[in-house]
Amino acid sequence: MRIIRDVAEMQALGQSLRGHEVGFVPTMGYLHRGHTSLMELTRPLCEHLVVSIYVNPLQFAPTDDLARYPRDLIGDATKCEAAGVDFLFIPEGFYPATFRTQVIVSGVTSRWEGAERPGHFAGVSTVVSRLFGVVQPTVGCFGEKDFQQLTVIRSMTRDLALPIRILSGPLVRDDDGLALSSRNVYLTPEQRVRARCLHRALFAVRDAPAHLPAGERLALGVAMVDSDKLDYLAIVDSESLEPLPDGLPVDRSARVIVTARYGNVRLLDNVAIEAAPEASP
Ligand code: PAF
């Protein structure tokens, strides 16, 4: 595995790999099994696999503690090597001093994380666009854990006609059911035990009787959440991310999404509700 820190060197390498299948998994490091599962998904589909580690300042609000984001470059490099990564891109000085572009995806960014963290998705789509331009992958792989981010990146790639296939990898849970996240390291043992309610609430909403209106399903889930603050628990259309009407049963493929706070740690989780099969005549 080759480690690349220079942006121009990475771009020249991307250029030299033209005509080959190049898989790309962008990350912010502090890698866990969720990240390595994306590498394992992409590896067999590509001749070359690139992973990036870059804690992107553009996607953090001034009140978020960017400096506090966990880092473990040595551990990360070992995990990448074991997952068969060919090139590990850890850019230094990723944005030139003259950088003045923002990539803004509208619509799917207006609610949920977009409303809770103004500017966050502009930061994500901007860094991912620039990473795509530098690495020049044919396949980009993102986790379903950040379901709204995945939707934003799919929209951006389609709208800008970028010749990149976007793959997604399923969310990975720890043994206690908690969705893996680099931020879990900040939970106290007591918070971590309380946070188990999140996936249980999601599963309860998913597994509720199909005839129940969405609002009643959600009420079941909300009653199960024990957090310091529930930012949202919602059933959304899996394409538009618009909430489904409270008064009607869930009649299409949907996603149950939740974000809750434990102290100043925000945890995100989600689960799919598959569309009920058409009743046979
Ligand atoms: O999901 C992440 O780790 C980040 O948002 C990403 C996609 C690497 C962009 O900084």
Side-chain angles (χ1 to χ4, degrees):
M1 185 177 75
R2 183 167 135 202
I3 296 182
I4 299 172
R5 290 184 173 271
D6 184 65
V7 176
E9 183 186 341
M10 182 68 240
Q11 192 162 36
L13 174 75
Q15 200 95 32
S16 73
L17 297 178
R18 283 250 170 109
H20 296 266
E21 283 287 349
V22 177
F24 179 41
V25 182
T27 80
M28 298 204 297
Y30 209 70
L31 304 176
H32 50 65
R33 278 185 294 119
H35 298 108
T36 52
S37 71
L38 302 180
M39 299 172 201
E40 283 154 15
L41 186 70
T42 317
R43 179 66 278 181
L45 306 176
C46 297
E47 296 163 81
H48 305 278
L49 179 59
V50 184
V51 168
S52 64
I53 296 179
Y54 180 60
V55 183
N56 170 38
L58 297 186
Q59 68 191 77
F60 288 82
T63 46
D64 292 342
D65 198 352
L66 168 66
R68 206 177 71 117
Y69 198 83
R71 288 161 216 249
D72 174 20
L73 277 186
I74 294 171
D76 288 350
T78 310
K79 288 174 190 153
C80 288
E81 181 103 58
V85 172
D86 300 301
F87 304 103
L88 177 57
F89 179 41
I90 313 177
E92 273 162 3
F94 186 58
Y95 297 108
T98 54
F99 193 81
R100 52 172 77 96
T101 297
Q102 251 199 325
V103 178
I104 294 178
V105 176
S106 58
V108 291
T109 53
S110 61
R111 296 180 189 268
W112 322 124
E113 289 310 284
E116 298 285 336
R117 302 178 68 188
H120 170 69
F121 284 122
V124 170
S125 30
T126 302
V127 76
V128 172
S129 309
R130 185 164 163 80
L131 284 166
F132 280 173
V134 171
V135 174
Q136 303 157 72
T138 52
V139 174
C141 189
F142 296 82
E144 289 175 14
K145 156 80 172 28
D146 294 303
F147 191 74
Q148 190 173 13
Q149 168 173 282
L150 172 65
T151 308
V152 169
I153 289 163
R154 280 195 197 286
S155 305
M156 176 190 87
T157 308
R158 198 173 46 231
D159 291 352
L160 300 181
L162 304 178
I164 301 168
R165 187 154 62 98
I166 302 299
L167 284 184
S168 68
L171 181 153
V172 180
R173 299 187 180 283
D174 227 329
D175 292 341
D176 61 0
L178 195 67
L180 290 184
S181 162
S182 305
R183 292 187 167 95
N184 292 351
V185 69
Y186 295 130
L187 294 171
T188 64
E190 183 258 340
Q191 288 170 331
R192 188 170 172 121
V193 170
R194 288 172 66 213
R196 287 184 199 163
C197 68
L198 296 181
H199 71 278
R200 291 183 182 144
L202 290 176
F203 293 170
V205 175
R206 178 194 63 189
D207 299 336
H211 67 271
L212 277 193
E216 284 184 37
R217 284 192 183 220
L218 287 173
L220 292 175
V222 169
M224 294 172 68
V225 175
D226 165 26
S227 67
D228 297 337
K229 182 170 181 290
L230 175 59
D231 283 346
Y232 54 81
L233 172 68
I235 306 178
V236 302
D237 179 281
S238 40
E239 300 284 323
S240 69
L241 306 187
E242 287 298 305
L244 297 194
D246 272 348
L248 298 176
V250 176
D251 61 349
R252 65 193 93 162
S253 149
R255 208 91 193 178
V256 196
I257 57 173
V258 68
T259 295
R261 295 175 201 238
Y262 293 85
N264 47 25
V265 187
R266 290 182 81 239
L267 297 182
L268 282 72
D269 200 342
N270 69 80
V271 73
I273 302 185
E274 301 307 338
E278 296 280 314
S280 41

